[in-house]
Amino acid sequence: MAAVDDRLEKYAELTIRVGANVEDGQTVFINSSVEHAPLARALTRAAYAAGAKYVDVLYRDQHVRKAMIELGPDEALTYTPDWLKTRMELLPKATIWTTGDPEPELLADLDGERVGRAQMKALSEIARQQMIDRSVNWSGVAYPNEGWAQQVFGEPDVERLWDAVAFCTRLDEPDPIAAWREHMARLEGRAQRLTELRFDALHYRGPGTDFTVGLNPNARWMSALFRRADGREYVPNMPTEEIFTTPDCRRAEGTITSSLPLALHGDIVEDMTLTVKDGKIVDVQAKRGAEVVRGQLESDERAAYFGELALVDGTSRVGQTGITFFDTLYDENATCHIAYGFGIPEVFEDGDGGEGMNMSTVHTDFMVGRPELEIDGLTKDGEAVPILRNETWQLPED
Amino acid sequence: MAAVDDRLEKYAELTIRVGANVEDGQTVFINSSVEHAPLARALTRAAYAAGAKYVDVLYRDQHVRKAMIELGPDEALTYTPDWLKTRMELLPKATIWTTGDPEPELLADLDGERVGRAQMKALSEIARQQMIDRSVNWSGVAYPNEGWAQQVFGEPDVERLWDAVAFCTRLDEPDPIAAWREHMARLEGRAQRLTELRFDALHYRGPGTDFTVGLNPNARWMSALFRRADGREYVPNMPTEEIFTTPDCRRAEGTITSSLPLALHGDIVEDMTLTVKDGKIVDVQAKRGAEVVRGQLESDERAAYFGELALVDGTSRVGQTGITFFDTLYDENATCHIAYGFGIPEVFEDGDGGEGMNMSTVHTDFMVGRPELEIDGLTKDGEAVPILRNETWQLPED
């Protein structure tokens, strides 16, 4: 047991020091599933050890949510308690959220429309403003648990899942903190070089996919090395393997098909194809879970527009595991993905995305990458420059 | 497993219907330990089934608290987040809190003074005002779990603990709700007859105990059948076997010795003797845990005065189990107990306790009853009337 506890403590320390990069004297929020309590406790200890002023752990419980959706009145679905707004408004703060759903299919037998509608929009709006203001250093990290392992492997092999998580988060390195610094520098370099090429659009071509999406002239490509407005660096996703930008939400056309299952609101969305016209998703088809997506796209008037394009190649440690994690934090780092909903303010060099940056209360990433997917950069003159072929990066790197 | 789940659902329903007596359209707060999640979930379902408008489960975690006391800065100990004040202030509401400490000795190796000081006084003050206003219907209920069973039996025999809990809460009756109505009527009758005797004081005599405490002329004895200001009945403790009153906090003299261990702030207080002068506890001795009590008595200027006298005889189902539960909700219902700290506003017939009612941010019950304890009522003329001998009620009933 000593080895296991050491691993958890090391993991928590990496999340606090590199992920959220908690500042001396900061208030730290930990938003954790009840099933992730051992990680929440380790994060609390690591945060106090890093000098946190106060650590507040807020546990969420999917069973409580399920009871609300199943048995509660209609008004409960969208009710946002004042105290959660008060909490969300607190600044300055660091926030850690945990993933690794212990029961990813818990809500699958409920009315998909109610599941999609059950959302505290007022909280999303506060969080969105804080992202725009770049006022919070935050990070997401997963906790291996039996239910999640069952979903991933068909058996509750938590040790095997821990091994995969440790590999993906570089906990297996002799000095994980140094390994992260090197990893982020490599991704950041790739992003800078792609920004310099100033493509006008990307073109995705592959099974069920023929999709063109415009880029914003004032948006850069970046890695997940984020900076608060005052310059403090943090890494909001652990692991991260992507470089990404915010597309021009007014320019997208065609069809795009998902390549991996997507765990969303307690259901699994599989084999989804989106039809897009004038930037907007106008049709959703899926082998499973289409209703949850449709419900989400109706949650506000800009939910059906795009907010993120992310490129991941075959060097991804997550992709190398060959595992479908049924967890967006992992699966989106296995391969290329796209998000509908809110854009990422951080990519705009002047901090203002203008009309090209999508504003919404949702942000849902779905995976589109696979060996057959070809991605080209399109220049203003219409020239196509290969970026990805067979999951291999086609542009020069140092 | 079906039988177990049925029991939990029945238990939750009893708590919602008889304990808190949740009203149609009410907001319900459930304040639960993370380890009590299965009960919190069953309570949530039962509350929605009873017509709750919204159910908010707030999980607390003793390990997070331990990290704060052990590793946090001094200011963290008494910090009260604004959002918890906002939450506590919400009215109207029903509140359920759960007990059954999974690790009663978790904080035992920490600095007792820091443990005692770690308290959100602002929350206690809001709760105290709501008790004075009688604005909240609330109830406490225990969740049998491995750690608690280990503490009670020396082995994690959860089934044996469940059997005891089911017996004490009358879940073993064919119609538990009817059994509770009958039980409360019997206790309420006993309380009314004791009120009619209008004793001026009580005298406690037994091992390590020679203690006289004044009664308030306008305070009644009552059972735990509480009423909100608008008359809605609820039962704040499940189980309950006591009748109780709020003593005159200005009049108490002598020494009083505890008869059962007391689980307090993550430690166990054993064989405690309090010396009392002019109503105030002036000395605390104990075989174990005296420091936690001393720390608590210093938390405000009225903490060391008395707030409750409760009488329990040998008919108590909790007492009949012969089990020391290391949980105040149970142990205080096994036998006679006394509380230092805040008085109970509900007992004052005109709603105002005046100077005889103690005001404090703490309220800690400790057990004093045992076969050797003799309790007399003292009349204004100084006559002693036996109330309890050998745990048998000495006054006439019906």
Side-chain angles (χ1 to χ4, degrees):
Chain A
M1 282 307 287
V4 171
D5 287 346
D6 281 358
R7 182 175 57 189
L8 189 60
E9 300 298 325
K10 235 168 79 179
Y11 189 50
E13 195 193 343
L14 182 68
T15 306
I16 294 292
R17 304 257 176 198
V18 173
N21 191 15
V22 168
E23 209 172 348
D24 192 50
Q26 238 189 341
T27 298
V28 178
F29 283 5
I30 295 168
N31 297 335
S32 164
S33 174
V34 279
E35 291 88 349
H36 305 158
L39 176 59
R41 292 162 177 178
L43 288 167
T44 302
R45 290 189 293 273
Y48 278 122
K53 182 166 76 172
Y54 185 76
V55 181
D56 184 78
V57 179
L58 185 68
Y59 285 111
R60 65 183 180 276
D61 185 338
Q62 280 282 83
H63 287 266
V64 168
R65 186 175 164 79
K66 182 181 185 182
M68 177 185 76
I69 295 169
E70 197 174 353
L71 306 169
D74 225 55
E75 62 188 327
L77 296 179
T78 53
Y79 173 63
T80 308
D82 282 343
W83 57 94
L84 291 184
K85 286 184 232 171
T86 306
R87 182 178 185 271
M88 186 66 99
E89 279 162 357
L90 182 96
L91 288 175
K93 69 178 173 226
T95 299
I96 321 273
W97 48 274
T98 68
T99 73
D101 197 333
E103 292 172 83
E105 303 188 57
L106 185 68
L107 308 184
D109 58 346
L110 301 185
D111 175 358
E113 188 275 326
R114 277 175 77 83
V115 173
R117 198 145 47 89
Q119 198 199 352
M120 293 188 182
K121 280 189 204 177
L123 296 191
S124 310
E125 276 158 23
I126 298 166
R128 189 176 71 175
Q129 190 57 49
Q130 291 173 348
M131 282 195 72
I132 292 170
D133 298 340
R134 296 191 288 139
S135 48
V136 180
N137 43 320
W138 54 279
S139 195
V141 63
Y143 180 66
N145 59 73
E146 284 195 6
W148 184 26
Q150 176 75 40
Q151 177 78 24
V152 173
F153 301 123
E155 56 180 355
D157 190 344
V158 178
E159 268 312 298
R160 191 173 155 204
L161 188 53
W162 251 120
D163 286 344
V165 163
F167 174 68
C168 293
T169 58
R170 295 175 159 72
L171 259 192
D172 62 341
E173 296 285 338
D175 184 346
I177 291 176
W180 267 88
R181 298 239 156 86
E182 190 184 322
H183 174 57
M184 295 313 294
R186 189 178 69 90
L187 289 174
E188 192 60 17
R190 175 180 285 188
Q192 279 174 19
R193 277 180 293 276
L194 188 53
T195 301
E196 286 157 16
L197 291 173
R198 293 287 168 198
F199 288 123
D200 176 61
L202 293 193
H203 182 221
Y204 294 71
R205 196 170 49 242
T209 293
D210 186 356
F211 181 63
T212 304
V213 55
L215 299 179
N216 284 301
N218 65 335
R220 61 185 172 124
W221 288 87
M222 59 180 286
S223 74
L225 185 68
F226 276 43
R227 283 173 192 83
R228 276 194 330 212
D230 66 359
R232 190 173 183 87
E233 289 183 348
Y234 63 97
V235 181
N237 288 178
M238 301 192 81
T240 184
E241 298 283 352
E242 61 182 315
I243 65 168
F244 58 88
T245 192
T246 300
D248 183 341
C249 57
R250 299 163 295 186
R251 295 193 289 144
E253 297 294 329
T255 56
I256 180 99
T257 294
S258 70
S259 59
L260 284 176
L262 169 65
L264 183 64
H265 291 178
D267 202 348
I268 308 288
V269 182
E270 284 177 13
D271 294 341
M272 175 174 73
T273 296
L274 305 178
T275 306
V276 181
K277 281 192 177 132
D278 292 332
K280 186 178 185 182
I281 299 165
V282 293
D283 184 59
V284 180
Q285 298 297 327
K287 194 172 132 195
R288 179 175 168 188
E291 261 194 32
V292 179
V293 175
R294 287 183 199 128
Q296 214 194 14
L297 293 182
E298 279 164 20
S299 54
D300 63 57
E301 60 178 14
R302 301 295 298 173
Y305 291 79
F306 291 93
E308 181 185 343
L309 305 175
L311 304 175
V312 179
D313 72 356
T315 65
S316 161
R317 284 202 178 197
V318 182
Q320 283 171 32
T321 66
I323 297 169
T324 298
F325 286 92
F326 297 91
D327 185 289
T328 298
L329 179 61
Y330 276 72
D331 291 331
E332 72 164 13
N333 283 302
T335 190
C336 293
H337 60 272
I338 294 178
Y340 54 81
F342 190 51
I344 299 168
E346 179 102 11
V347 303
F348 294 98
E349 281 150 3
D350 50 5
D352 180 9
E355 292 191 357
M357 149 98 185
N358 195 34
M359 303 292 272
S360 169
T361 54
V362 309
H363 177 100
T364 297
D365 298 278
F366 60 97
M367 282 60 74
V368 299
R370 62 179 100 202
E372 302 84 354
L373 182 73
E374 300 184 343
I375 302 182
D376 292 339
L378 305 181
T379 66
K380 275 210 165 64
D381 306 330
E383 188 199 349
V385 179
I387 296 175
L388 270 174
R389 292 290 184 275
N390 196 24
E391 299 193 307
T392 303
W393 197 250
Q394 301 294 305
L395 300 172
E397 298 194 72
D398 282 334
Chain B
M1 282 305 288
V4 171
D5 287 345
D6 280 0
R7 182 174 59 189
L8 189 62
E9 300 298 325
K10 238 168 77 179
Y11 188 50
E13 196 192 345
L14 183 68
T15 306
I16 293 293
R17 305 256 178 199
V18 174
N21 191 16
V22 168
E23 208 172 350
D24 192 50
Q26 234 186 347
T27 297
V28 178
F29 282 6
I30 296 169
N31 297 336
S32 164
S33 173
V34 279
E35 291 88 350
H36 304 159
L39 176 58
R41 293 162 177 179
L43 288 167
T44 302
R45 288 190 294 273
Y48 278 123
K53 181 167 78 173
Y54 185 76
V55 181
D56 185 78
V57 178
L58 185 67
Y59 285 111
R60 65 183 179 277
D61 186 337
Q62 280 284 83
H63 287 266
V64 169
R65 186 175 163 78
K66 182 180 185 183
M68 177 185 76
I69 295 169
E70 198 175 350
L71 305 170
D74 225 55
E75 60 187 331
L77 297 178
T78 52
Y79 173 63
T80 309
D82 283 343
W83 56 94
L84 291 183
K85 287 184 232 170
T86 305
R87 182 177 185 271
M88 186 65 101
E89 280 162 357
L90 182 96
L91 289 175
K93 68 176 173 230
T95 299
I96 321 272
W97 47 275
T98 68
T99 74
D101 197 333
E103 290 172 82
E105 303 188 59
L106 185 68
L107 309 184
D109 59 346
L110 300 186
D111 175 357
E113 188 274 329
R114 276 175 79 84
V115 173
R117 199 145 46 89
Q119 198 199 352
M120 294 187 183
K121 280 191 204 176
L123 295 192
S124 310
E125 276 158 24
I126 299 167
R128 188 175 72 175
Q129 191 56 49
Q130 290 174 348
M131 283 196 70
I132 291 169
D133 298 339
R134 296 192 289 139
S135 48
V136 180
N137 43 319
W138 54 279
S139 194
V141 64
Y143 181 65
N145 58 73
E146 284 194 7
W148 184 25
Q150 175 75 39
Q151 177 77 23
V152 173
F153 300 124
E155 55 180 354
D157 190 344
V158 178
E159 269 311 298
R160 190 173 157 205
L161 189 54
W162 250 119
D163 286 346
V165 163
F167 173 69
C168 293
T169 57
R170 293 173 159 75
L171 260 193
D172 62 340
E173 296 284 338
D175 183 347
I177 291 177
W180 267 90
R181 298 238 156 86
E182 190 185 319
H183 174 57
M184 295 313 294
R186 189 179 70 87
L187 289 174
E188 192 60 17
R190 175 181 284 187
Q192 279 174 21
R193 277 180 293 276
L194 187 53
T195 301
E196 285 157 17
L197 291 173
R198 294 287 168 198
F199 287 123
D200 177 60
L202 293 193
H203 183 220
Y204 294 72
R205 196 170 47 245
T209 294
D210 186 357
F211 181 63
T212 304
V213 55
L215 300 179
N216 284 302
N218 65 335
R220 62 186 172 122
W221 289 87
M222 59 179 287
S223 74
L225 185 68
F226 276 42
R227 284 173 192 81
R228 276 195 329 212
D230 66 0
R232 189 174 183 87
E233 290 183 346
Y234 63 98
V235 181
N237 288 178
M238 301 193 81
T240 183
E241 298 283 352
E242 60 181 316
I243 64 168
F244 58 89
T245 192
T246 300
D248 183 341
C249 58
R250 298 162 298 186
R251 296 194 288 143
E253 296 294 330
T255 56
I256 180 97
T257 294
S258 71
S259 58
L260 284 176
L262 168 65
L264 182 65
H265 290 180
D267 203 349
I268 308 286
V269 182
E270 282 177 16
D271 294 341
M272 174 176 74
T273 296
L274 305 178
T275 305
V276 181
K277 282 193 175 133
D278 293 332
K280 186 179 184 181
I281 299 165
V282 294
D283 185 58
V284 179
Q285 298 297 327
K287 195 172 132 194
R288 178 176 169 188
E291 260 194 33
V292 179
V293 175
R294 287 183 200 128
Q296 214 194 13
L297 293 182
E298 279 164 19
S299 53
D300 62 58
E301 60 178 15
R302 301 297 298 174
Y305 291 80
F306 292 94
E308 181 186 343
L309 305 174
L311 303 175
V312 179
D313 73 355
T315 65
S316 161
R317 284 203 177 196
V318 181
Q320 282 170 35
T321 65
I323 297 169
T324 298
F325 286 91
F326 297 91
D327 185 289
T328 298
L329 180 61
Y330 276 74
D331 291 331
E332 73 164 10
N333 283 301
T335 190
C336 293
H337 60 272
I338 293 178
Y340 55 80
F342 190 49
I344 300 169
E346 180 103 8
V347 304
F348 294 98
E349 283 149 2
D350 50 6
D352 180 9
E355 293 194 356
M357 149 100 184
N358 195 35
M359 303 292 272
S360 170
T361 54
V362 308
H363 176 101
T364 296
D365 299 278
F366 61 97
M367 283 59 74
V368 300
R370 61 179 101 201
E372 302 84 356
L373 182 72
E374 300 185 341
I375 303 182
D376 292 340
L378 305 181
T379 68
K380 277 213 162 57
D381 304 332
E383 189 197 345
V385 178
I387 296 176
L388 269 174
R389 292 288 184 276
N390 197 23
E391 299 193 308
T392 304
W393 198 251
Q394 301 294 305
L395 299 171
E397 298 196 73
D398 284 337

